[in-house]
Amino acid sequence: MPDKNATLEAIVAEIRQMSDAEIEAIRQSASREQAQIAQRVRQEAEKIRAGIISKAQQNAEKIRQRSAAQTNLEIKKLNLQSRLLITAEIRRQFEERLFALRQSPEYAQLLKELIVEGIVGLGVDHILISAGDREHAILTDEFLRSIETSFNPPVHLELEPAVLNEPGVILYSADKRRRFDNRLSRYVQRVLEKYHWEIMQKFSENN
């Protein structure tokens, strides 16, 4: 009859071997799972890092574009300010020279041109003229007749007694429904508007 103790020890030994094998299998499985988990963690970390880098690059590009747009806007503002200053300075110098000319004998020729421009602009043959004090002194009957007869057919010019409180002249149709404003301030404005693009083009060429 077999020894019961020997049989029990054999069973225990077999159970231990099975347990050791299972434990080793579990350990290996756990090790593989840990490696897989570590790999997934590294992959997720890489995705997060790549996402952060991509977002940072996008933000940097937005900042660069915003900065470039702001720079361009500032440049446009400076150019506009410069153009406004140049236009204002040209107007100031033009007015200064024009008002100096008004006190000289040569002003009579410019005044004649202002009146002729108004006659052509109104397109009527009977015209009333309102004039400033200096202009009144120049617009003698003889002066007006010389302008009238320069047209074919001649026109009729009539100087109103009231004196404008501004330099220059305003021409009216006989019924005063139409008028042509050639006060010096308006004349300066029209000249600047006419040559505005040429002035700005020269400004651009010099910058």
Side-chain angles (χ1 to χ4, degrees), residues 16 39 44 47 54 76 104 108 131 160 169 177 202:
R16 283 179 177 174
Q39 179 65 21
E44 290 299 320
K47 288 180 182 178
S54 176
K76 288 180 180 179
S104 72
E160 294 195 311
V169 291
R177 291 183 179 179
K202 289 187 180 297

Side-chain angles (χ1 to χ4, degrees), residues 18-190:
M18 292 176 60
S19 297
D20 290 343
E22 288 177 357
I23 290 171
E24 181 61 25
I26 292 171
R27 185 177 297 153
Q28 290 178 0
S29 177
S31 179
R32 284 194 300 272
E33 289 180 359
Q34 286 178 352
Q36 291 172 354
I37 291 171
Q39 179 65 21
R40 285 198 295 269
V41 168
R42 283 194 296 271
Q43 290 173 347
E44 290 299 320
E46 182 61 27
K47 288 180 182 178
I48 293 170
R49 188 181 74 86
I52 292 172
I53 292 174
S54 176
K55 191 170 183 179
Q57 289 173 339
Q58 291 174 2
N59 289 338
E61 179 62 18
K62 288 180 181 178
I63 292 171
R64 187 193 67 77
Q65 292 176 353
R66 192 181 302 120
S67 177
Q70 289 175 346
T71 300
N72 290 335
L73 180 61
E74 290 300 320
I75 291 172
K76 288 180 180 179
K77 285 181 179 179
L78 289 174
N79 283 339
L80 178 60
Q81 291 173 358
S82 298
R83 292 180 183 184
L84 291 175
L85 288 173
I86 287 173
T87 301
E89 178 59 20
I90 290 172
R91 183 187 183 98
R92 186 192 68 78
Q93 291 188 23
F94 187 19
E95 288 179 340
E96 188 177 276
R97 294 177 185 179
L98 190 59
F99 281 88
L101 175 65
R102 185 171 180 256
Q103 304 305 319
S104 72
E106 289 77 15
Y107 180 61
Q109 180 58 38
L110 175 61
L111 180 58
K112 183 176 183 178
E113 293 172 5
L114 295 178
I115 294 173
V116 169
E117 183 183 24
I119 294 171
V120 173
L122 288 175
V124 296
D125 57 8
H126 186 180
I127 295 170
L128 307 177
I129 301 176
S130 293
D133 54 358
R134 169 65 176 154
E135 290 74 19
H136 254 274
I138 298 173
L139 296 177
T140 62
D141 289 342
E142 181 182 358
F143 189 90
L144 292 174
R145 298 298 83 78
S146 70
I147 298 175
E148 290 174 342
T149 56
S150 67
F151 284 84
N152 186 20
V155 296
H156 177 65
L157 301 177
E158 183 179 342
L159 181 62
E160 294 195 311
V163 177
L164 286 177
N165 59 4
E166 288 187 54
V169 291
I170 302 177
L171 286 73
Y172 298 92
S173 59
D175 58 9
K176 286 204 169 183
R177 291 183 179 179
R178 300 172 62 187
R179 78 174 196 167
F180 194 98
D181 191 345
N182 248 345
R183 289 172 295 176
L184 295 190
S185 59
R186 289 295 303 143
Y187 173 71
V188 169
Q189 183 65 31
R190 282 204 310 276

Side-chain angles (χ1 to χ4, degrees), residues 187-202:
Y187 173 71
V188 169
Q189 183 65 31
R190 282 204 310 276
V191 170
L192 290 180
E193 288 175 355
K194 182 178 180 180
Y195 295 103
H196 172 78
W197 292 113
E198 290 184 23
I199 293 170
M200 290 302 101
Q201 186 176 8
K202 289 187 180 297

